C-alpha cells in the first residue's frame, strides 16, 4: 500500500513538472511576441524578426505568430533593400552587397533584391579584376580578343611596322600589288575589277589601314582567302552576296518575347534569315559578321527581365445610415361619435342603426358614444450607423500582364431565345429556350503594370463595383418574367506612381434622402409649436467606395551603361560594325613547351620572321618608287617544317587556276601585265605552264616568277621558251610552297587594235615525285584600243 502511494506521488510530481514547463513555454512565447510587437512599433525590423522567430520556436503551431513573422520578414527585407539603394547611390558597393544579401535572405520572393545583388557582385568582381589587371592591360585585351574570335580567315602574323608610300597617277592594280609585296601578302583581283589611274599618299599607316583607305575611296572591298592571300572586289550588292562570309548563330533569350525580338532583328539589323523558337526561347540568325554583331547588340539590349510589381490594394466601402424621428405624436388623429341607445353590440351594422320607432322620441345626449385619441407620444429618436466592408488583397503581376481580382457573388441572369416549332399540333408556334449567364456582383478589379527603368510604375486600372437591385418584370401580367437589376459603378484610368507611393481613389458615392411628416392638418404651419407636434422622420443613406493602391517593385528592368552607348555600324549601304571582325593579321601562336621540335636549331614556327628579306618590288612605270621601311615578312604557312618535312595539307581539295585580272585592256604600242594564279596550292616545288595567244594582236615579252614561289625568299630556277603565239616556262625551288598567289607574271605588248585572248594550254605542279595537273582556267581576255 505504501509503495503504491509513493508511485502515485511520483506521477503527480512528474505531471506537475510537465504542466509547469508547458506553462513556462507559453508564457515565454507570449513574452517574445509582445517584444516583437514593440519592436514593430519602433520600426526595428531586425529585432522584430528575432523576437517573432523566438515566439514561433516556443509555440510552432500558433498561426498568429507565423503571420507576424512573415510580415516582419517582408518589412525587414524592404528596409534593407532601401538601405542598399542608398549605398549604391553613394558607390559603397560592399555595404550594398551586404544589405542586399540580408534583404534576399529575409524575403526570398524579393527578386529585385536578388537581381541587384547579382549585379552588385558583378560590379565588385569587375572592379577587382580591373585593379588586378591594370598593370597588364595589353595582355587582357589580347585575351578578350582571342576569346571573341570569329571563325573567319585571317592573315598570318605580320610585322606591325607603319608603311609610307606615295603614288602619283599610277595604276590602281600596281598600287595594290606593291602594297601587298611590302606586307608579304598575295593580292588577287576579282573578274569584275577594272584597273584605272589613281593617286595615293600613305604616311605612317599599317597595312590594314592603307588597304581600308584604298578600297573605300575606289569603291572596292577585300576578302581574306587564306593566311597569305586577299582578293580585291568591286563594291556591289551582288559581289557582297558572293564573297561575304555567312555565319550561323543561335541566341538564347531569357525574358524578351521571341516574335517581337525577331521583328526587331529583321528590321534594324537588315537580316532576312531569322527564325524564332518560342518553346526553347531561341533565335537563330544566319547572316554576315556585321549583321550578327548588330543582332547580338539588339538582342542583349532588349532581353531584359520583365518588371514585376506587388500591388497592395485596399478596397473600403462605407455605408452611412442616418435616421432622425422626433415630435409630439398623437396615437390617432381621428375623432368619431356613434349613436348607440341600447348599448347592444349588434345594433349598429354597416354604419346603420336599427332601433324601434317608439324609441326615437326618447333619444338624448346619453345615447351617443364619442371616440377621441387617448395617447400622445413624444419622439426624440436619432439613429446613425456606419458599416465598413474592407478587402486588402495583394496582387503580384508581371509587366504587361493583366492581374484580376474578383470579390462578390455570381448572380444568374436568364436569357431566353425562341425557335420556330413544327406547324400544327402542340409543337407549333415559337418554342422558348432559357439559358443562364452569371455576373459577378461585388468588386471586380484588373491591373496591368508597367515598370520604367527610372523606377516609375504605370498602372492601367479598371475597377467595377456593382450591387444587386430589385427584380424587374419584363414579361406580361399573365406571364411575369422577373430579372435582376444591377447598380454598377466603373472606374477606368492610368496611374503613375513611384515605388511605395500610395494612390487613393474616392468619390464613388451613392446617396438616398427621405423625409416624412405625420400630424394634424395645419399643425405644420403653426410657428414653433407646429415643429413640436406631429411625427417627423428623416432618413439619409450614403454609400462611398474608396480604393487605396500601393505598388512595390519586386523586379525592375536593369539598364547598364553599355546599353546607353551608341554602336557604330558603318554606312547605310555597307554595314561595318566596329570591333565585330577579328584583326586582319592573326596573332602568333605560342610555341608548345617541351613539345616536339622545341630543340636548338629547329626551324621557327608559323608566324616567325624570316631571316631573308623578300626581293624589292619593282617600281611601276611612271610611278615614284615607294618609300617604305618594311620589316622582313614572316615565313608563310608554306614554309617547310623541321628537317625539311612539308607541312600537312589543310584539306584534300584540288588546286584551281585563274587569270588575274581576267581582262586586260591596253593601248596599241603599250605594255601591260597579268598573272597566272594558283588558289589552294599545297607543297608546290615546281610549276610548268604552256601558254598560247594571238601573235598578231599582242606579243608576250616576259614571263617572270610569281610571288607565291618567292614570298618566303627561296631561290627559284627558271626555264623559258617563247615563240610566236606560244610559250613554255618552268619554275622550280628547293622547298614546297603552299597557299594562294601568282606563280607566273606575264608581260604583254599590244601590237594592233582589236580583241583576243590568252590561254593556258597545260599546267603541271610538281610535289617531289608526284605531279598534279589542275584544270586550265578560262582564257583571259585581251582588248587593245587605239
Amino acid at each position: 500500500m505504501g509503495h503504491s502511494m509513493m508511485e502515485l506521488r511520483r506521477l503527480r510530481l512528474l505531471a506537475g513538472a510537465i504542466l509547469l514547463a508547458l506553462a513556462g513555454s507559453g508564457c515565454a512565447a507570449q513574452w517574445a511576441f509582445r517584444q516583437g510587437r514593440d519592436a514593430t512599433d519602433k520600426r526595428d525590423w531586425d529585432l522584430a524578426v528575432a523576437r517573432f522567430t523566438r515566439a514561433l520556436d516556443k509555440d510552432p503551431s500558433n498561426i498568429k505568430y507565423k503571420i507576424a513573422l512573415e510580415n516582419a520578414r517582408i518589412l525587414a527585407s524592404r528596409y534593407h533593400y532601401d538601405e542598399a539603394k542608398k549605398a549604391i547611390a553613394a558607390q559603397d558597393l560592399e555595404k550594398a552587397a551586404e544589405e542586399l544579401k540580408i534583404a534576399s535572405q529575409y524575403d526570398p520572393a524579393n527578386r529585385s533584391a536578388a537581381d541587384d545583388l547579382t549585379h552588385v557582385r558583378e560590379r565588385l568582381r569587375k572592379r577587382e579584376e580591373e585593379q588586378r589587371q591594370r598593370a597588364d592591360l595589353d595582355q587582357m585585351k589580347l585575351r578578350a580578343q582571342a576569346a571573341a574570335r570569329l571563325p573567319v580567315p585571317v592573315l598570318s602574323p605580320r610585322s606591325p611596322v607603319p608603311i609610307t608610300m606615295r603614288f602619283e597617277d599610277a595604276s590602281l592594280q600596281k598600287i595594290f600589288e606593291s602594297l601587298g609585296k611590302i606586307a608579304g601578302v598575295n593580292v588577287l583581283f576579282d573578274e569584275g575589277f577594272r584597273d584605272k589611274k589613281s593617286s595615293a599618299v600613305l604616311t605612317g599607316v599599317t597595312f590594314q589601314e592603307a588597304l581600308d583607305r584604298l578600297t573605300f575611296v575606289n569603291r572596292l572591298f577585300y576578302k581574306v582567302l587564306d593566311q597569305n592571300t586577299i582578293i580585291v572586289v568591286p563594291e556591289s550588292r551582288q559581289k557582297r552576296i558572293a564573297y561575304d562570309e555567312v555565319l550561323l548563330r543561335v541566341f538564347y533569350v531569357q525574358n524578351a518575347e521571341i516574335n517581337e525580338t525577331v521583328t526587331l532583328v529583321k528590321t534594324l539589323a537588315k537580316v532576312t534569315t531569322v527564325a524564332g523558337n518560342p518553346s526553347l526561347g531561341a533565335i537563330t540568325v544566319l547572316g554576315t559578321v556585321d549583321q550578327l554583331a548588330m543582332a547580338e547588340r539588339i538582342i542583349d539590349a532588349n532581353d531584359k527581365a520583365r518588371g514585376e510589381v506587388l500591388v497592395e490594394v485596399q478596397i473600403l466601402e462605407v455605408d452611412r445610415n442616418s435616421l432622425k424621428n422626433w415630435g409630439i405624436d398623437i396615437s390617432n388623429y381621428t375623432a368619431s361619435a356613434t349613436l348607440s341607445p341600447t348599448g347592444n353590440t349588434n345594433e349598429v351594422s354597416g354604419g346603420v342603426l336599427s332601433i324601434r320607432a317608439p324609441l326615437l322620441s326618447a333619444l338624448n345626449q346619453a345615447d351617443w358614444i364619442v371616440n377621441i385619441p387617448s395617447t400622445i407620444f413624444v419622439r426624440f429618436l436619432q439613429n446613425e450607423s456606419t458599416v465598413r466592408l474592407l478587402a486588402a488583397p495583394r496582387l503580384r503581376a508581371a509587366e504587361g500582364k493583366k492581374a484580376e481580382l474578383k470579390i462578390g457573388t455570381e448572380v444568374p441572369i436568364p436569357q431566353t431565345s425562341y425557335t420556330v416549332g413544327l406547324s400544327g399540333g402542340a409543337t407549333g408556334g415559337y418554342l422558348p429556350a432559357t439559358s443562364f449567364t452569371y455576373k459577378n456582383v461585388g468588386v471586380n478589379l484588373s491591373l496591368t503594370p508597367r515598370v520604367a527603368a527610372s523606377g516609375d510604375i504605370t498602372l492601367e486600372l479598371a475597377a467595377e463595383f456593382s450591387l444587386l437591385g430589385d427584380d424587374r418584370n419584363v414579361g406580361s401580367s399573365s406571364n411575369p418574367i422577373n430579372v435582376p437589376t444591377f447598380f454598377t459603378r466603373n472606374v477606368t484610368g492610368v496611374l503613375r506612381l513611384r515605388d511605395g507611393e500610395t494612390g487613393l481613389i474616392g468619390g464613388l458615392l451613392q446617396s438616398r434622402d427621405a423625409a416624412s411628416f405625420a400630424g394634424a392638418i395645419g399643425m405644420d404651419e403653426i410657428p414653433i409649436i407646429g415643429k413640436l407636434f406631429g411625427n417627423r422622420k428623416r432618413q439619409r443613406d450614403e454609400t462611398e467606395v474608396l480604393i487605396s493602391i500601393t505598388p512595390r517593385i519586386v523586379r525592375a528592368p536593369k539598364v547598364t551603361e553599355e546599353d546607353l552607348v551608341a554602336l557604330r555600324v558603318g554606312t547605310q549601304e555597307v554595314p561595318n560594325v566596329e570591333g565585330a571582325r577579328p584583326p586582319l593579321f592573326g596573332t602568333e601562336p605560342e610555341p608548345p613547351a617541351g613539345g616536339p621540335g622545341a630543340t636548338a636549331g629547329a626551324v621557327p614556327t608559323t608566324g616567325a620572321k624570316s631571316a631573308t628579306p623578300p626581293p624589292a618590288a619593282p617600281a611601276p612605270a611612271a610611278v615614284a618608287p615607294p618609300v617604305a621601311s618594311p620589316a622582313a615578312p614572316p615565313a608563310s604557312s608554306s614554309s617547310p617544317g623541321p628537317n625539311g618535312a612539308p607541312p600537312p595539307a589543310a584539306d584534300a581539295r584540288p588546286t584551281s587556276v585563274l587569270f588575274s585580272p581576267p581582262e586586260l585592256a591596253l593601248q596599241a604600242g603599250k605594255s601591260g601585265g597579268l598573272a597566272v594564279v594558283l588558289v589552294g596550292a599545297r607543297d608546290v616545288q615546281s610549276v610548268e605552264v604552256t601558254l598560247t595567244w594571238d601573235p598578231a594582236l599582242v606579243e608576250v615579252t616576259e614571263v617572270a616568277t610569281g610571288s607565291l614561289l618567292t614570298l618566303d625568299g627561296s631561290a627559284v630556277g627558271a626555264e623559258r621558251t617563247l615563240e610566236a603565239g606560244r610559250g613554255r616556262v618552268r619554275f622550280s625551288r628547293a622547298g614546297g610552297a603552299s597557299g594562294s598567289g601568282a606563280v607566273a607574271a606575264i608581260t604583254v605588248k599590244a601590237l594592233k587594235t582589236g580583241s583576243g585572248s590568252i590561254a593556258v594550254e597545260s599546267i603541271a605542279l610538281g610535289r617531289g615525285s608526284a605531279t598534279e595537273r589542275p584544270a586550265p582556267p578560262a582564257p583571259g581576255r585581251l582588248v587593245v584600243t587605239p
Side-chain angles (χ1 to χ4, degrees), residues 97-377:
E98 182 180 355
E99 295 289 347
L100 289 171
K101 181 179 179 182
I102 297 174
S104 301
Q105 291 175 348
Y106 274 141
D107 185 11
N110 191 346
R111 299 299 308 167
S112 183
D115 292 344
D116 285 350
L117 178 59
T118 303
H119 181 65
V120 169
R121 284 177 174 174
E122 183 66 17
R123 290 178 61 182
L124 285 171
R125 185 188 65 80
K126 288 184 178 180
R127 189 174 69 178
E128 292 175 358
E129 287 184 358
E130 289 175 359
Q131 293 174 353
R132 184 176 62 254
Q133 299 176 353
R134 189 168 296 164
D136 196 13
L137 184 59
D138 293 337
Q139 293 297 327
M140 183 179 65
K141 289 182 179 180
L142 292 176
R143 285 195 300 270
Q145 291 173 358
R149 181 175 298 170
L150 294 175
V152 294
V154 295
L155 297 175
S156 61
R158 298 291 192 270
S159 173
V161 176
I163 296 174
T164 299
M165 303 178 66
R166 181 181 180 87
F167 294 91
E168 295 290 344
D169 196 22
S171 167
L172 183 60
Q173 179 178 344
K174 293 298 182 181
I175 295 176
F176 279 115
E177 290 176 349
S178 299
L179 185 64
K181 289 181 178 180
I182 291 176
V185 176
N186 296 324
V187 181
L188 306 182
F189 298 91
D190 178 76
E191 61 182 5
F193 176 81
R194 296 293 179 265
D195 195 12
K196 64 178 182 179
K197 298 297 182 179
S198 180
S199 300
V201 178
L202 306 172
T203 304
V205 295
T206 63
F207 174 73
Q208 182 174 0
E209 292 172 346
L211 197 60
D212 290 338
R213 293 182 187 181
L214 288 174
T215 53
F216 179 77
V217 170
N218 294 280
R219 291 192 57 79
L220 304 169
F221 70 94
Y222 62 90
K223 173 182 170 62
V224 178
L225 297 179
D226 54 36
Q227 289 187 336
N228 300 310
T229 310
I230 65 171
I231 185 169
V232 178
V233 187
E235 182 66 76
S236 68
R237 179 172 178 82
Q238 291 76 16
K239 293 297 184 180
R240 283 285 183 179
I241 295 175
Y243 282 96
D244 275 349
E245 297 282 349
V246 177
L247 305 179
L248 177 69
R249 183 174 177 184
V250 180
F251 298 91
Y252 292 94
V253 179
Q254 301 296 326
N255 305 285
E257 291 289 344
I258 297 297
N259 295 330
E260 295 178 0
T261 310
V262 167
T263 303
L264 282 175
V265 172
K266 286 183 177 180
T267 305
L268 300 179
K270 299 179 181 179
V271 184
T272 57
T273 310
V274 184
N277 185 353
S279 60
L280 187 60
I283 297 176
T284 304
V285 182
L286 182 66
T288 63
V289 175
D290 302 291
Q291 290 174 335
L292 287 182
M294 288 189 287
E296 181 180 10
R297 177 63 180 272
I298 293 170
I299 293 174
D300 289 344
N302 290 274
D303 187 22
K304 302 294 184 183
R306 282 183 176 271
E308 292 187 49
V309 178
L310 181 65
V311 184
E312 298 177 355
V313 183
Q314 292 184 349
I315 303 173
L316 180 65
E317 184 174 359
V318 182
D319 294 337
R320 302 183 184 92
N321 299 319
S322 176
L323 173 63
K324 292 183 179 181
N325 193 353
W326 77 95
I328 299 175
D329 187 10
I330 301 175
S331 62
N332 193 350
Y333 288 94
T334 60
S336 63
T338 304
L339 180 62
S340 181
T342 63
N344 296 328
T345 58
N346 57 353
E347 64 178 342
V348 178
S349 177
V352 178
L353 176 64
S354 301
I355 61 173
R356 295 181 179 276
L359 297 179
L360 293 175
S361 60
L363 293 177
N364 54 29
Q365 189 177 3
D367 296 325
W368 293 87
I369 299 175
V370 180
N371 297 319
I372 61 175
S374 61
T375 306
I376 298 177
F377 298 95

Side-chain angles (χ1 to χ4, degrees), residues 480-493:
I481 300 177
N482 295 323
V483 295
T485 60
F486 304 94
F487 177 74
T488 304
R489 287 158 290 175
N490 293 297
V491 176
T492 303

Side-chain angles (χ1 to χ4, degrees), residues 66 69 80 153 157-158 203 242 332 352 366 380 479 582 608 611 627 636 654 690 776:
K66 291 181 180 179
L69 176 59
H80 286 284
R158 298 291 192 270
T203 304
N332 193 350
V352 178
F380 301 99
N479 184 23
V627 181
S636 67
T690 302

